Amino acid sequence: MLCYTSLDILDIQWIWQFFSSGHTNNWAVLVCTSRFWFNYRHVANTLSVYRSVKRLGIPDSHIVLMLADDMACNHRNPKPATVFSHKNMELNVYGDDVEVDYRGYEVTVENFLRVLTGRLPPSTPRSKRLLSDDRSNILIYLTGHGGNGFLKFQDSEEISNVELADAFEQMWQKRRYNELLFIIDTCQGASMYERFYSPNIMALASSQVGEDSLSHQPDLAIGVHLMDRYTFYMLEFLEDIHPASKTNMNDLFKVCPKSQCVSTPGHRTDLFLRDPGSVLITDFFGSVRKVELTMDAINLTDPIKQMEEDPVNGEEQKEVYSYADQLPVSEIIHQKPKQKDWHPPDGFILGLWTLILLVFFKTYGIKHLKHIF
Amino acid sequence: SSMVFKRGSVGAKGPRAYPPHQLHHQMPVLLIQDKRRRGQLAALSIAAVVIIVGVPLWWRTTETYRAWLPVSQIKDLAKLQLHLSADVEVVFARGTVTPEQQKKVPLTQTQDEEHTVDGDLLMQFMILRYETKYRTATIMEEDALKKPTAADLSLHMLSESPCGSLVVYVIPESSSLLPEDVNVYIGQRRTALVRISAQMRVGKTLEQLLAQLEPQIKQVLQVMSFSHTDITVALSDRVRFRPGNKESIADSMRAFKSSPGYEITFSLLNPDPKSHQLHWDIEGAVQTYIQPLLTKLSPLANFSMDSQTLYYTMLGVTPRFDSSFEAYTLNADSLAHVINPVEARLGSNAASSNPVLNFLLYVPDIRHSPLYIHDHRKQEVPSNAFHSPRWGGIMVYNVNGFYGSETEFPVHVNINMAKVMGVFLAQLRLLLGVQSLSPPPGFLVAPCGSTGLADWELDRLMWSRSVENIATATTTITSLAQLLDQIGNIVINDNIAQQVSSAVTSLQLAMAELEVGNLGFALQYSKEAILASEKAFFDPSLLHLLYFPDDQKFAIYIPLFLPMCVPILLSMLKIVSEARQRRREKQAKKE
């Protein structure tokens, strides 16, 4: 059988239609940057976007989910193991197959930038890496507390819009994305995309500079606000999208007008090469694979070689594997509390005593030393 | 004791008797002058210490360590002027050249083609050189050519051409090796047979004969060796695509990017274990059919393979029953939605960051058997398989023909691995970048043989991978140098500088080898260059240090330095103004 194909006009047209967007795989980086129980809504925001993105087809291996705090197992959660996005507990976005890649204190500016630029230590597992190539479309969603030109991480540090723009430029230099969609839901979110200068980036924000993004509705049973307005209405919009839908980006720009959101959502498309009207929502939120039919096959006639059992190899392979010693739970339960090791006193205590002694000898003179020793 | 004034014993050296009130006047003036000078000296020395010792110390301690990078060499490399060279031997069999022409053979010609490639930053030049040697056939080659079949294999046995070179045998019109309508035969190894036509031969000089042959030989070179379009596609990172090149865009999107290793996973999906008990000899099949190809491709990359069986995994799309075919069908448009639900269940054994190729064999459940894939013209696809660019392939294997309606379930089925591996091998070729071109008219191409890859296809792959590696490594190094230049407070450690230097050296060596035509070494050096450049670029220590906006820098330094600098500055000013005053007084006194 020949190894060559002969493509006719119909085939070529069909191929071109599928390759018009230029991407072959999708990635998503979803980040929630705030901790503490009263920032429940930020975790719910991120988990709702995660759920939509998974529903539309992006697999867990292509999603990097970073949650700065654990709301589902928080001591103050009246319904443990759940995170609700709608009041009256209609929708549990935590589910039972959520895969959080960076959790708790691992969500830092440094780790976020490392994930984006790919500069991770060699021991980082695959699930914590963004292994995109030049044909990947990436969705980046950030939520938390922000200000004019910065986004707060973990209540102790912040990332500035210049750093973010530089990180995207490094991604472009190494061709780590084909197109990038950046969505941010924080106060004054539009300031974060002002400084972008790399090509093929489209950005959406929930509020302009000087405006605050507001939260949606509190749930009286849980006691906190469950979601932010922009993400809530964006999710309502995404629930109508299914993997084969042809809705484009212009509809996403119209989500949450001022009457519903109170703040004015903004977007930036000047760096994007394609017209937003021709960009499908599923180009970023879903993962529609391009497919080609295999037109030919190779004719193989040799019979399968029987693998000879090498006696030496056979013995090596007969090594018996067994589980490593598991945690001896019964011993732990009935254990006495462990004696804590003695530590020398802390520097503070030492310093305090030194100060007291110095003051004493200064006032009363050195001859009183004999009273001590 | 009191002083005694001796009357009358006063000499020249006696103490002068100042009246007491005059003494008092002199003392304060002296003291004041002393004090002032001491103050000025103190201020000057503090200023000196601050400027001479303090400022350099502060500068050195707040400096970031930046090792030296070969920036000028990197700039030279960024121009990326590729010189590619291939050796071609054209052998004339008996009956193709006249005796007068034969006297002028052997002959060597060099053809240089200069192409400009529209790059991101600047126009790049590419020089493609074909060194053609002409000679006549030896006795053994003539014997081999007389054999009716497998001529190219016996020719290959005589002399194995090195990687990257070609041999073209010109055979007379009367030869029966090729069928009637075929003028060119491209073999499995690095040989081709070109049939000369009658009007080419008669009464012409050697130069005219060569000129007549040239278009055909050029076509052979386009197919078997590199061409301008291939190299442009390999440089696709740096090159803007012309809109007419849709097929080559599709080719470049389909194949995986060059990587030092690949992971291949074979999965058997059995959604209905109650009805089908499937048995596949995957180890033997991989060893017999896939391993030879991978061994042949070992200069390009390392491959690791594993396999798994998944039960109760359905396709994400419900197939429809088509009564005209008496079977269930999946049409081409719905295939795109098949992969995602399956991929979530596949899992991955990969511990490295290498790209993963997935090959799935799906045996439909008994309620949806048989299942056929139809193309957009509603015709059955003979291989019953499809593939996704940069992901892998899926083949549907129907087993309903293996049993009747009264058999006991579950039915034991032995899967025909030769058929399955034939399809997977074809998909593997496409995904790894072996392009399937349609040959020009009058060409006959030999089938690829049991390894699944012809030698010249391997050469083409090696050319395009070398060029791609060189282009990627150059871009990486150039953008790294640019980045480190722009951001002043990133620390450049010694190991990064060493990686960059070794990448630069490997790149220079790779380009030199390409120029000479040593394809094997060029590929090896280009791989080393890519490894070193990726290591340098993705080193974890190169993370951009926190950005300090100017107002924050002032806010940190002012409380530290201002309290110290104000007294020094003021005392300097005071010294200067006093000196100026004194000079004015002196000038006033003189006048």
Side-chain angles (χ1 to χ4, degrees):
Chain A
M1 207 184 290
L2 288 183
C3 299
Y4 285 109
T5 63
S6 53
L7 297 169
D8 65 4
I9 299 293
L10 278 173
D11 289 317
I12 294 178
Q13 275 181 358
W14 185 67
I15 290 175
W16 179 235
Q17 188 192 11
F18 269 162
F19 289 130
S20 61
S21 71
H23 76 281
T24 58
N25 54 42
N26 284 80
W27 286 81
V29 179
L30 311 173
V31 184
C32 159
T33 59
S34 22
R35 52 173 38 238
F36 306 131
W37 172 246
F38 50 83
N39 289 323
Y40 184 102
R41 59 190 188 281
H42 296 141
V43 172
N45 286 350
T46 318
L47 284 172
S48 314
V49 177
Y50 170 77
R51 204 179 141 271
S52 299
V53 147
K54 261 180 81 160
R55 179 179 61 86
L56 290 172
I58 302 186
D60 272 312
S61 52
H62 284 224
I63 302 179
V64 177
L65 178 62
M66 304 169 82
L67 297 180
D69 202 356
D70 189 3
M71 297 305 169
C73 300
N74 196 303
H75 301 301
R76 295 166 75 169
N77 191 348
K79 304 273 177 201
T82 59
V83 172
F84 291 109
S85 69
H86 204 280
K87 75 172 178 202
N88 302 326
M89 299 182 220
E90 277 171 24
L91 184 57
N92 173 20
V93 290
Y94 201 62
D96 50 6
D97 62 348
V98 62
E99 246 184 55
V100 182
D101 299 305
Y102 286 85
R103 64 194 67 202
Y105 287 108
E106 290 173 357
V107 178
T108 57
V109 174
E110 182 187 337
N111 280 350
F112 177 57
L113 290 177
R114 283 194 190 280
V115 164
L116 286 183
T117 53
R119 298 212 171 95
L120 290 157
S123 57
T124 317
R126 238 185 132 102
S127 58
K128 281 186 161 174
R129 287 182 190 255
L130 178 65
L131 294 169
S132 55
D133 54 27
D134 61 321
R135 294 276 169 208
S136 308
N137 277 6
I138 307 183
L139 165 71
I140 298 187
Y141 176 82
L142 297 175
T143 182
H145 289 289
N148 189 357
F150 67 91
L151 170 63
K152 188 176 73 156
F153 265 71
Q154 297 268 10
D155 215 34
S156 60
E157 54 182 4
E158 56 195 38
I159 186 173
S160 64
N161 48 5
V162 176
E163 284 179 310
L164 197 57
D166 282 340
F168 286 159
E169 174 63 15
Q170 291 191 49
M171 287 175 79
W172 174 250
Q173 287 286 330
K174 204 62 189 72
R175 296 292 184 273
R176 276 166 69 78
Y177 68 88
N178 177 39
E179 288 169 348
L180 202 99
L181 177 63
F182 175 77
I183 303 183
I184 184 161
D185 187 354
T186 63
C187 304
Q188 309 195 52
S191 63
M192 287 306 281
Y193 61 64
E194 272 170 3
R195 300 292 201 108
F196 292 166
Y197 54 94
S198 319
N200 274 349
I201 301 184
M202 196 186 314
L204 280 103
S206 60
S207 54
Q208 301 292 333
V209 175
E211 285 180 349
D212 286 337
S213 270
L214 301 178
S215 58
H216 188 56
Q217 13 158 268
D219 180 297
L220 297 174
I222 297 180
V224 285
H225 286 261
L226 293 182
M227 274 196 71
D228 279 331
R229 285 177 189 243
Y230 182 73
T231 311
F232 183 82
Y233 290 110
M234 188 173 78
L235 256 103
E236 257 187 20
F237 171 78
L238 284 177
E239 290 286 322
D240 290 332
I241 310 281
H242 54 92
S245 73
K246 300 281 173 212
T247 331
N248 60 37
M249 279 294 166
N250 281 332
D251 301 321
L252 188 60
F253 295 156
K254 294 195 204 111
V255 156
C256 206
K258 199 169 164 99
S259 53
Q260 283 175 327
C261 252
V262 185
S263 57
T264 320
H267 55 92
R268 179 177 178 181
T269 53
D270 58 318
L271 293 166
F272 205 73
L273 284 178
R274 291 194 287 154
D275 170 46
S278 69
V279 179
L280 301 176
I281 301 285
T282 49
D283 278 351
F284 288 103
F285 284 90
S287 171
V288 183
R289 295 277 183 184
K290 310 289 192 278
V291 154
E292 283 181 313
L293 298 168
T294 310
M295 282 307 178
D296 46 25
I298 297 180
N299 199 6
L300 296 168
T301 48
D302 299 333
I304 294 186
K305 276 188 275 202
Q306 289 305 319
M307 308 255 290
E308 277 142 22
E309 290 286 333
D310 206 1
V312 179
N313 277 347
E315 267 168 30
E316 274 174 22
Q317 278 163 18
K318 287 205 174 60
E319 200 183 302
V320 175
Y321 295 107
S322 62
Y323 278 112
D325 269 334
Q326 303 292 313
L327 208 56
V329 176
S330 51
E331 283 175 35
I332 291 174
I333 292 174
H334 299 295
Q335 235 173 24
K336 288 213 184 73
K338 215 165 87 160
Q339 296 278 357
K340 274 190 88 172
D341 298 290
W342 179 82
H343 290 288
D346 257 323
F348 174 69
I349 305 286
L350 274 176
L352 194 62
W353 277 108
T354 314
L355 185 65
I356 293 173
L357 282 171
L358 277 175
V359 169
F360 176 82
F361 287 118
K362 190 84 172 106
T363 29
Y364 295 109
I366 204 89
K367 60 186 191 292
H368 290 272
L369 203 59
K370 65 178 192 288
H371 293 290
I372 314 286
F373 297 107
Chain B
S1 55
S2 54
M3 274 185 73
V4 175
F5 275 104
K6 283 200 175 146
R7 275 208 197 120
S9 64
V10 175
K13 290 182 189 166
R16 287 205 221 150
Y18 279 117
H21 61 276
Q22 273 194 318
L23 260 170
H24 283 299
H25 277 183
Q26 292 287 348
M27 287 267 294
V29 174
L30 275 172
L31 280 170
I32 286 170
Q33 267 191 342
D34 245 347
K35 252 197 205 163
R36 202 185 296 155
R37 201 172 300 142
R38 231 187 303 159
Q40 286 176 352
L41 263 169
L44 279 169
S45 53
I46 290 176
V49 164
V50 164
I51 291 174
I52 295 172
V53 176
V55 168
L57 193 69
W58 167 73
W59 190 259
R60 282 306 303 259
T61 48
T62 52
E63 208 179 46
T64 47
Y65 178 71
R66 295 170 77 93
W68 177 81
L69 291 176
V71 184
S72 55
Q73 290 182 9
I74 294 174
K75 277 209 188 81
D76 280 335
L77 278 174
K79 294 188 204 122
L80 200 65
Q81 299 189 322
L82 284 173
H83 293 247
L84 296 171
S85 167
D87 288 327
V88 184
E89 244 186 285
V90 179
V91 180
F92 291 103
R94 204 174 331 135
T96 46
V97 280
T98 61
E100 306 91 54
Q101 291 168 341
Q102 214 165 354
K103 279 187 221 148
K104 295 211 196 130
V105 173
L107 175 64
T108 310
Q109 262 184 1
T110 308
Q111 257 178 333
D112 274 348
E113 278 174 24
E114 202 175 284
H115 294 279
T116 53
V117 174
D118 232 353
D120 272 343
L121 300 168
L122 32 81
M123 297 280 273
Q124 285 159 358
F125 291 91
M126 186 163 65
I127 297 182
L128 306 177
R129 167 178 303 168
Y130 300 101
E131 293 221 5
T132 325
K133 287 196 191 72
Y134 298 93
R135 63 174 176 87
T136 47
T138 61
I139 310 274
M140 290 185 290
E141 285 171 343
E142 293 283 351
D143 281 337
L145 282 169
K146 291 224 174 28
K147 293 204 184 99
T149 53
D152 70 329
L153 282 172
S154 30
L155 284 169
H156 166 76
M157 304 271 245
L158 291 173
S159 63
E160 178 143 357
S161 341
C163 204
S165 64
L166 285 178
V167 186
V168 180
Y169 290 93
V170 183
I171 52 179
E173 197 197 341
S174 52
S175 164
S176 56
L177 276 176
L178 302 176
E180 278 296 316
D181 51 349
V182 171
N183 282 331
V184 180
Y185 173 77
I186 296 184
Q188 272 181 17
R189 312 291 179 160
R190 298 181 174 104
T191 53
L193 299 175
V194 173
R195 200 214 313 257
I196 206 170
S197 59
Q199 61 263 49
M200 279 197 217
R201 256 191 337 117
V202 169
K204 300 235 169 86
T205 61
L206 184 64
E207 285 75 21
Q208 287 170 325
L209 175 63
L210 292 179
Q212 290 263 336
L213 266 181
E214 202 188 291
Q216 277 204 318
I217 296 196
K218 218 172 155 66
Q219 273 187 326
V220 170
L221 286 174
Q222 294 268 343
V223 172
M224 289 180 81
S225 182
F226 53 76
S227 68
H228 164 55
T229 38
D230 295 331
I231 306 297
T232 314
V233 168
L235 287 172
S236 62
D237 264 355
R238 300 163 65 106
V239 159
R240 280 194 296 272
F241 261 122
R242 314 242 180 259
N245 254 343
K246 289 171 196 172
E247 242 188 67
S248 40
I249 297 183
D251 273 342
S252 79
M253 277 175 64
R254 179 191 311 123
F256 278 90
K257 283 240 141 242
S258 169
S259 159
Y262 296 94
E263 318 259 350
I264 303 181
T265 306
F266 293 98
S267 311
L268 174 64
L269 301 177
N270 186 358
D272 198 5
K274 284 203 278 274
S275 321
H276 303 134
Q277 198 183 46
L278 300 171
H279 174 73
W280 71 339
D281 183 13
I282 185 69
E283 279 191 53
V286 155
Q287 201 59 31
T288 318
Y289 301 125
I290 307 283
Q291 192 58 46
L293 173 64
L294 299 182
T295 316
K296 205 163 179 179
L297 285 173
S298 54
L300 271 115
N302 296 326
F303 292 91
S304 89
M305 285 188 285
D306 51 29
S307 64
Q308 61 177 342
T309 310
L310 288 171
Y311 296 102
Y312 293 107
T313 314
M314 304 287 296
L315 292 181
V317 177
T318 320
R320 276 176 306 170
F321 187 71
D322 192 339
S323 43
S324 55
F325 289 98
E326 294 275 327
Y328 287 87
T329 59
L330 274 178
N331 66 338
D333 296 323
S334 59
L335 288 175
H337 306 292
V338 165
I339 296 184
N340 283 324
V342 176
E343 190 176 1
R345 306 263 171 257
L346 276 181
S348 169
N349 201 19
S352 65
S353 313
N354 287 333
V356 178
L357 286 86
N358 290 299
F359 291 103
L360 273 58
L361 184 63
Y362 181 74
V363 174
D365 52 326
I366 196 160
R367 284 176 313 138
H368 292 114
S369 278
L371 179 61
Y372 294 109
I373 298 179
H374 283 187
D375 61 14
H376 49 270
R377 274 171 299 196
K378 303 279 183 282
Q379 285 180 352
E380 213 176 280
V381 174
S383 61
N384 219 18
F386 61 99
H387 57 271
S388 178
R390 296 202 185 176
W391 183 80
I394 300 185
M395 176 179 177
V396 178
Y397 188 83
N398 291 311
V399 295
N400 59 317
F402 283 84
Y403 52 85
S405 52
E406 279 144 34
T407 32
E408 203 182 277
F409 289 112
V411 181
H412 186 90
V413 177
N414 258 332
I415 296 184
N416 177 6
M417 293 312 288
K419 181 170 159 219
V420 168
M421 283 303 167
V423 172
F424 282 163
L425 207 57
Q427 290 177 338
L428 184 61
R429 278 168 49 101
L430 285 174
L431 289 170
L432 287 175
V434 179
Q435 289 157 346
S436 48
L437 326 141
S438 39
F443 274 55
L444 174 66
V445 181
C448 7
S450 59
T451 50
L453 193 70
D455 281 4
W456 51 270
E457 284 179 324
L458 177 63
D459 285 350
R460 280 177 64 98
L461 203 52
M462 285 170 80
W463 287 117
S464 61
R465 284 282 190 239
S466 308
V467 171
E468 188 187 334
N469 285 349
I470 289 176
T472 313
T474 311
T475 317
T476 308
I477 293 283
T478 315
S479 55
L480 180 63
Q482 232 176 7
L483 176 76
L484 294 175
D485 203 34
Q486 261 176 358
I487 302 175
N489 52 359
I490 282 189
V491 175
I492 307 177
N493 286 328
D494 282 328
N495 67 323
I496 296 174
Q498 196 214 348
Q499 294 287 342
V500 170
S501 302
S502 91
V504 166
T505 321
S506 303
L507 274 174
Q508 287 168 338
L509 282 169
M511 291 184 44
E513 297 285 356
L514 269 186
E515 198 172 332
V516 175
N518 292 336
L519 186 52
F521 286 120
L523 183 65
Q524 198 188 335
Y525 284 129
S526 71
K527 268 171 46 175
E528 283 172 19
I530 262 216
L531 275 172
S533 63
E534 299 272 310
K535 236 195 204 168
F537 193 91
F538 286 120
D539 193 276
S541 73
L542 277 183
L543 189 70
H544 180 181
L545 292 185
L546 286 180
Y547 169 74
F548 296 119
D550 288 329
D551 49 349
Q552 286 187 16
K553 272 198 207 141
F554 281 127
I556 290 177
Y557 282 135
I558 283 179
L560 290 175
F561 290 135
L562 201 61
M564 181 183 71
C565 286
V566 165
I568 297 178
L569 273 171
L570 287 180
S571 41
M572 292 293 115
L573 283 173
K574 205 164 130 195
I575 293 174
V576 165
S577 65
E578 276 174 9
R580 221 183 281 159
Q581 213 181 10
R582 251 183 285 137
R583 217 187 303 143
R584 246 183 276 139
E585 279 173 12
K586 257 193 231 163
Q587 279 190 343
K589 267 195 214 162
K590 275 187 200 161
E591 287 158 10

